[in-house]
Amino acid sequence: MWRTVSFVERVEVEFSGSIFNQAITLGDFDNDKGNELAVGNIDGDLCIFKGKESHPWRKCTDLGMITCIGQGNLFSKEKIHLVCLTAEGWCHVFDVKPDRQEEDKKEKDREAEDDTYKTMKPFYSQHLPPNGKVMTVDDVDGDGKVELVVGYSDRVVRLFRWHSSGETTLDMDPKGTLTQEDKWQLAGQIGSITTNISKDGTPQLLASQPGGTYVILLPSAPFSLQGDGHGQGHSNGSRKDFLTTNFVYDPLVSSMTRNSNVSTEIIGAIRKGPINESSSTEMLYSLCTLDGTLMLVENGHILWSLQVDHQLFSLNKLDVTGNGKEEVVCCAWDGQTYIVNHSREVVRYQFEDSVAAFKAGHYAVAGNDNVPCFLYATFKNKIYIYYNIRLPQMASTNLIEVMDKEERTHELLSRLNIKAPTTKDMRELYHWCLYGWHAKT
Amino acid sequence: MEGRSWRWTDAHFCTLPSQTNVYGHAKILDSDGANKFLIASLVGKIFSVEYQRIFDKLTPFTREIQFTYIPGDDTEINAVDALSHCSHGKRLIIAIAFTKTEDNESKQFLNLYTPSQYGEEFNMENVAEECRLSLELYFVPYQLTHTEMVSNNGRETVFLLSGSDGKIHLFRECNSEHIFIEEDSGVFFPEFIASASCVHWLDIVYIDNYTRRLTAMGHQCGLLIASIVDVQKLEILRTFTVDYDSPITYVHFFTSHNEVSCPKFLKSFIREQRKMYRIGQKEEDERNPQVPEYHLLALSALEPAIVYEHVLQHGFTHSIILPDSNKFDAILCGSVTDIDFDGENEILIGTYGQELIAYKLNHSKTQRSRDEVNLSTDSCESKKIWHYSSDKKTTDPPSNPIFLPPRRVRSQESFPVSLESDNDRSFMDTKKELCASLKELPKNRSDMQAVEEGCLLWQRSFAYPVIGINKLDIMGDGMEDLIVVTLKGVHVLQPDLHEVAKVCLDRLQMLTDENPDKKEKDSCK
């Protein structure tokens, strides 16, 4: 039986409407080092929540059917922007302004002013192909610039890159366009897209495929050879892409899964150890399926897999023990949440309601102090942020086991003339150490 | 130990299919270290929470125990109790009081289970199969507990069940065939005759090598009675009473220190060492067995928690109020255990407001002059105090005098006025004021024997009302884990084991040190 825990400390925020699992994210949108929560619904409302406030800190309405929300410094600036993608194909980028300084407040104290301040407007919008359902904003080719990768409901993945047409400063609207640079036509529906760091330290783009499988989307190396006449490769480059197979399909465990059509999620770049550790930059990735398979993969090899009786729909990573290794966090529709570490030790948490969207990440509950948290969006117009998700260790352990791992223990025991003690002896000794010590002092 | 913040976190949590009540759990102590925790959910299901070794990994294990003669859906479990030894040797006996509803009529029963088969005395399944007594009760059962009884035949363990009829019923095993019968409790426990209304909580301890007994009864009407009884003569030596305005929910006798004897295999080592350095210290076990000072923790639903100190000498005259303990809805349960491993017990309180609050008593000295009092309160302030988060409104803890006159009047007037003031101040502010006011104590109070106080050590919120706090070494490692029962589940709490390991290692290091005398002094600093 797996260890179960309960979390109590939470922030409850009000947000109505249907939410896609990809349309909720945690990030530092106002660049104050503290993370906020951004969430969008299918009615076009985008809200940012900050701290313990249950009402939106920033708001924008009538955006369309929001399917994905991401973050990144898309315009190659230091500043992180909020990227919002709608089913209609609109890509809205927001420049979230931090709260005004105290002096400003004194000057403009009117409520109306405050309201306009609360309302955000996209500072860049562009119409891209419609029906995007998953998105990642990340540097997928290791060139230091951030790309926008969108997976569509017609099994196509498109990669967009920002092309600046002049100097953009912080306060000005950006000049330039997002242009399609690459395109992949996949065989199955795309569950999610993620980036991973491969063995040689270069990033790779992965997209999950039905039945617990995935493809590695290769960068457009042959692109320049073939695509001479297509210039920067606008939408007319699609024909070329269609002809070349620029991805590697990894069937992984398709034989093991119960259903080859079951929808699959993937998350990459799971840290194997503390960041400073220079030994290996390779990272792990994990997949989960709706019929309850969860696995951790390293370079095509399955490290472990797990079968559960819950419908897993959201896959995340979070370091809950604080040891530098990121745990896999997986949530099912019914609220059952699994936290699994690299050695397959499982901790469960049961959220008491059905979950529409789930995210694990960091959030600043007070000030700019980011703490690990779980985010549950329910079907009852409420989002719960459970913060301070910290566990001293994953596996159930007791004092005898912890002491046994300490080298000093064995040395001390031999000096105390205790040889080959039984568990009972150790229990007696530690009990006396902890509770009978006042007799000595 | 200073500076170490002992944060107890969930080692395991198990949910219940339906809610439980304050009497719905029991500890099963097993000398082999396989302690278990029994929890009853209201709708006829009983679970055992334990730890097992599966593939050499410590694994939490929860299973439902099917007790015979407990029908499923139309049963509500009122109380459970378990005892793991009796007059006829080591054996597990489980008692369950439940209500059965049939045709809109509810009947109460008490079932007792114990195995007869030799060698299977601790097998839970065997126990659950063998129902030894099924007795219809003509009262609503409340607390089901057990204690030892001293009779002509020696000591035996009996079950006690308090009922809505205002009596405490005694169930005794009458012969070696494991048959239980009800006997008049007043014959063996004369103090029970005084019970005025339904007893919510009962606590009994034996002192002076089973010659005297301390009994505390907390009543529904708010009456708290503590008695000192001569066990041989069955005479009540002294009785103390105090009347509260709200029902008593929990009473518990405790000592400020735990007595744990040194393991045998260490004794020889310590003796050798002492000889070697010619330390003229008496052997620990040769010391005069001192009578430990007993205190009484009394929790009343709506009033601040109170500790009556040195009950044996002073009755209810020396009391300490635990500040802010009534600020989180009704107080439902308590426990006394050492959660920071400094050798002194802390007081834990669970409330309906989903909070677990731990207080540290400043018990270091009993007889102090005024100056020392000041010192002690200062040091108390410097200790790690867990702040309330800013959004929680706190009110004044009782400022001076924490030292209360004996309360005998059923009215609010006897309460310190400051309790009713409702200022929003941080805990630290009030703390400072408290210390300041202590410094300004009038001269005539300087002769008081002890000015003691409880300070908040640790606080934790739960998802549901806290209805039971137990200390139990469920992991089998010598450290007592906390088992917190809430309305919807059981939490097994553990501190950061690496921190505990450090404490253990440091202490073992001190033992092995060449000059224990010097080291001990260091450790005192």
Side-chain angles (χ1 to χ4, degrees), chain B residues 364-414:
Chain B
S364 40
K365 280 169 195 166
T366 44
Q367 294 227 338
R368 283 179 293 201
S369 70
R370 255 189 73 206
D371 292 341
E372 279 174 317
V373 169
N374 290 343
L375 276 174
S376 76
T377 48
D378 284 342
S379 72
C380 171
E381 191 185 24
S382 68
K383 266 178 196 157
K384 178 112 186 152
I385 294 165
W386 283 69
H387 298 260
Y388 289 112
S389 54
S390 53
D391 57 340
K392 275 179 188 146
K393 306 285 184 205
T394 60
T395 53
D396 268 0
S399 50
N400 67 328
I402 313 159
F403 182 71
L404 274 187
R407 301 181 53 229
R408 297 202 189 277
V409 199
R410 254 181 94 100
S411 71
Q412 279 287 16
E413 280 89 59
S414 64

Side-chain angles (χ1 to χ4, degrees), chain A residues 3-4 397 399 401 431 433 438, chain B residues 11 13 53 258 477-478 507:
Chain A
R3 180 183 164 196
T4 314
T397 185
L399 186 62
E401 288 180 347
H431 188 76
C433 256
H438 55 86
Chain B
F13 170 69
R53 288 218 160 257
N258 292 309
D477 58 358
R507 289 178 183 177

Side-chain angles (χ1 to χ4, degrees), chain A residues 138-198:
Chain A
D138 207 350
D139 179 14
V140 297
D141 52 5
D143 65 349
K145 284 181 184 171
V146 165
E147 287 86 26
L148 178 71
V149 186
V150 183
Y152 291 86
S153 57
D154 57 355
R155 307 188 296 267
V156 170
V157 179
R158 290 189 176 91
L159 185 145
F160 302 93
R161 192 170 281 142
W162 175 253
H163 285 278
S164 173
S165 60
E167 280 294 304
T168 45
T169 57
L170 276 172
D171 299 324
M172 249 160 57
D173 283 355
K175 292 189 187 79
T177 49
L178 285 166
T179 50
Q180 185 183 326
E181 297 268 313
D182 219 334
K183 182 184 167 184
W184 297 269
Q185 175 75 53
L186 304 181
Q189 279 291 344
I190 298 147
S192 47
I193 303 173
T194 188
T195 47
N196 188 47
I197 308 298
S198 65

Side-chain angles (χ1 to χ4, degrees), chain A residues 24 40 47 81 133 146 168 242 273 297 315 383 386 397:
Chain A
I24 189 163
C47 289
H81 292 111
K133 55 176 253 188
V146 165
T168 45
F242 203 70
V297 187
L315 190 58
I383 298 170
Y386 283 84
T397 185

Side-chain angles (χ1 to χ4, degrees), chain B residues 5 53 90 95 114 130 187 292 315 366 388 399-400 408 505 517:
Chain B
S5 59
R53 288 218 160 257
K90 228 179 84 171
T114 188
E130 302 199 41
V187 175
T366 44
Y388 289 112
S399 50
N400 67 328
R408 297 202 189 277
L505 283 172
D517 216 24

Side-chain angles (χ1 to χ4, degrees), chain A residues 1-9 52 343-345 348 350 352 388 390-393 395-403 406 408-409 411-413 415-418 423-441, chain B residues 9-13 31-33 51 53 57-60 62 257-266 269 274 284 338 341 343 461-463 473 475-480 491 494 497-498 500-501 504-512 520 523-524:
Chain A
M1 190 180 280
W2 287 323
R3 180 183 164 196
T4 314
V5 293
S6 89
F7 300 116
V8 180
E9 295 172 299
K52 283 188 169 174
S343 39
R344 203 178 175 269
E345 283 155 347
R348 289 179 304 166
Q350 176 71 55
E352 75 269 25
N388 276 335
R390 288 190 181 113
L391 301 170
Q393 74 275 327
S396 294
T397 185
N398 65 14
L399 186 62
I400 293 175
E401 288 180 347
V402 172
M403 288 290 280
E406 300 271 342
R408 247 173 87 198
T409 311
E411 182 200 316
L412 287 170
L413 287 184
R415 275 168 67 184
L416 283 169
N417 211 12
I418 300 171
T423 314
K424 199 180 172 194
D425 290 342
M426 299 309 288
R427 194 184 305 138
E428 219 179 313
L429 176 67
Y430 295 145
H431 188 76
W432 176 74
C433 256
L434 292 172
Y435 302 103
W437 191 256
H438 55 86
K440 307 282 312 161
T441 53
Chain B
T9 50
D10 274 27
H12 186 58
F13 170 69
S31 54
D32 298 336
Y51 272 82
R53 288 218 160 257
K57 275 192 171 171
L58 196 71
T59 313
T62 310
H257 294 95
N258 292 309
E259 284 299 327
V260 179
S261 55
C262 184
K264 277 186 194 128
F265 50 84
L266 259 187
F269 177 84
R274 295 248 156 93
E284 271 169 52
D338 185 6
F341 312 108
S461 304
F462 287 87
D473 179 14
M475 306 246 192
D477 58 358
M479 189 191 69
E480 274 166 347
H491 297 255
Q494 226 181 14
L497 288 177
H498 296 283
V500 184
C504 268
L505 283 172
D506 288 351
R507 289 178 183 177
L508 290 177
Q509 181 80 55
M510 273 184 230
L511 269 184
T512 54
E520 274 165 30
S523 73
C524 289

